């Protein structure tokens, strides 16, 4: 396979996890790679807010993500 280590699980979260159509399609595609766990919810907004608070308070440094060299928009 393309992975150097064994994958424990693939977790589908957020609003998309409420869609049986989406989760079924993804599960069918990735289930040969690893166990799929579906955790519907909207917790990503809370996680984003908590991350912002950690950055503002100096507890964490903001990360800067750059497009790979040669990437075309």
């Amino acid at each position: 396979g393309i992975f150097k280590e064994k994958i424990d699980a693939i977790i589908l979260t957020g609003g998309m996890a409420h869609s049986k159509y989406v989760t079924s399609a993804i599960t069918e595609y990735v289930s040969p790679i690893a166990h799929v766990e579906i955790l519907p919810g909207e917790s990503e907004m809370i996680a984003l807010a908590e991350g912002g608070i950690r950055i503002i308070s100096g507890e964490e440094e903001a990360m800067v993500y750059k497009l790979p060299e040669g990437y075309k928009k």
Side-chain angles (χ1 to χ4, degrees), residues 29-42:
Y29 188 76
V30 301
S31 61
I33 298 169
H35 168 73
V36 178
E37 196 67 43
I38 300 170
L39 302 172
E42 303 295 330

Side-chain angles (χ1 to χ4, degrees), residues 52-61:
I53 291 168
R54 287 192 304 273
I55 290 168
I56 291 169
S57 69
E59 186 180 333
E60 231 177 77
E61 269 189 51

Side-chain angles (χ1 to χ4, degrees), residues 17-48:
H18 289 285
S19 169
K20 185 72 174 163
Y21 175 78
V22 171
T23 57
S24 293
I26 294 172
T27 299
E28 183 179 334
Y29 188 76
V30 301
S31 61
I33 298 169
H35 168 73
V36 178
E37 196 67 43
I38 300 170
L39 302 172
E42 303 295 330
S43 301
E44 63 267 23
M45 297 312 262
I46 294 169
L48 283 170

